[in-house]
Amino acid sequence: DLDYDYFHEIDKARAAGKNMCVTKARQKGFSEKNASIIGREFSLFKNSQSVITAGEEKYNENTMKMVTRGLASLDNTEFYKRKNPELPEYIQARYKVIDNGVPKWRGTLSEVYSITSKNNNQALSRLSPNLVLFEEVGVWPNFIESYRFVQPMLRTEGKKTGFVIIVGTGGD
């Protein structure tokens, strides 16, 4: 029931033009849940750009592995997307075709980035994401500064175009 509520709260926040902040206990599966949200964005929405970021590389890398594992499990379904490139830190839904002797990229062109922002508050500044996942903000000393740099990237012509999920684990 809580998973059902979580996904609906995500959808309600996004529809209302808000972001989502999640505080949670350890080992509750939220990285996996959020990886599935990124996988949904990648699989269903053309030209989407999703970003997983954290203050420590191990957190964004772990969630990115969950995303790629989930996307690979879609093989032999109508939701599977060919990826080129398919790197640990970046994937794009595209493939090359030759059209009248001219190579062209086809596919939805959706992207997922895994970027560590520990020593660079502006690490995401070159992007224009639809979805940003901030992982483990409780152990990220300069999270607020990184979040502030992302805010302008989530707007186009005064309209909110991106959505943020902020996740932190309770504890010390």
Side-chain angles (χ1 to χ4, degrees):
D1 290 347
L2 293 176
D3 287 349
Y4 175 87
D5 289 342
Y6 179 67
F7 288 109
H8 281 287
E9 290 302 317
I10 290 282
D11 286 343
K12 284 172 31 183
R14 196 169 193 175
K18 306 289 183 184
N19 294 322
M20 184 71 144
C21 185
V22 180
T23 55
K24 62 175 192 67
R26 294 213 177 279
Q27 300 299 312
K28 299 299 179 192
F30 277 86
S31 292
E32 197 74 58
K33 291 179 204 14
N34 290 324
S36 74
I37 292 168
I38 290 168
R40 172 186 164 217
E41 196 83 12
F42 181 84
S43 298
L44 300 181
F45 303 106
K46 289 182 178 184
N47 299 304
S48 69
Q49 191 177 76
S50 300
V51 181
I52 305 161
T53 189
E56 293 183 38
E57 191 171 52
K58 65 183 177 182
Y59 296 120
N60 53 285
E61 283 182 351
N62 184 52
T63 304
M64 182 69 163
K65 286 177 187 174
M66 292 176 189
V67 170
T68 56
R69 186 185 68 240
L71 292 172
S73 73
L74 297 174
D75 193 20
N76 296 317
T77 74
E78 62 272 25
F79 302 107
Y80 181 78
K81 304 289 183 255
R82 289 187 274 174
K83 295 171 267 317
N84 185 336
E86 187 169 11
L87 305 170
E89 70 280 354
Y90 175 72
I91 58 173
Q92 186 172 26
R94 68 181 187 168
Y95 56 94
K96 193 180 284 187
V97 297
I98 306 298
D99 186 11
N100 293 324
V102 178
K104 294 184 180 181
W105 290 109
R106 296 275 202 256
T108 64
L109 305 179
S110 295
E111 302 171 292
V112 180
Y113 291 85
S114 172
I115 300 173
T116 306
S117 300
K118 181 178 186 173
N119 297 318
N120 183 1
N121 297 333
Q122 298 181 46
L124 311 183
S125 63
R126 64 188 161 86
L127 305 174
S128 192
N130 304 80
L131 176 60
V132 179
L133 172 62
F134 285 98
E135 276 281 22
E136 295 299 346
V137 300
V139 293
W140 185 350
N142 64 339
F143 160 69
I144 297 295
E145 291 82 7
S146 294
Y147 179 74
R148 285 185 181 137
F149 275 103
V150 166
Q151 291 310 298
M153 300 173 350
L154 304 173
R155 301 189 87 69
T156 302
E157 298 179 7
K159 182 179 177 185
K160 190 167 189 291
T161 55
F163 180 66
V164 174
I165 302 172
I166 301 166
V167 181
T169 302
D172 294 341

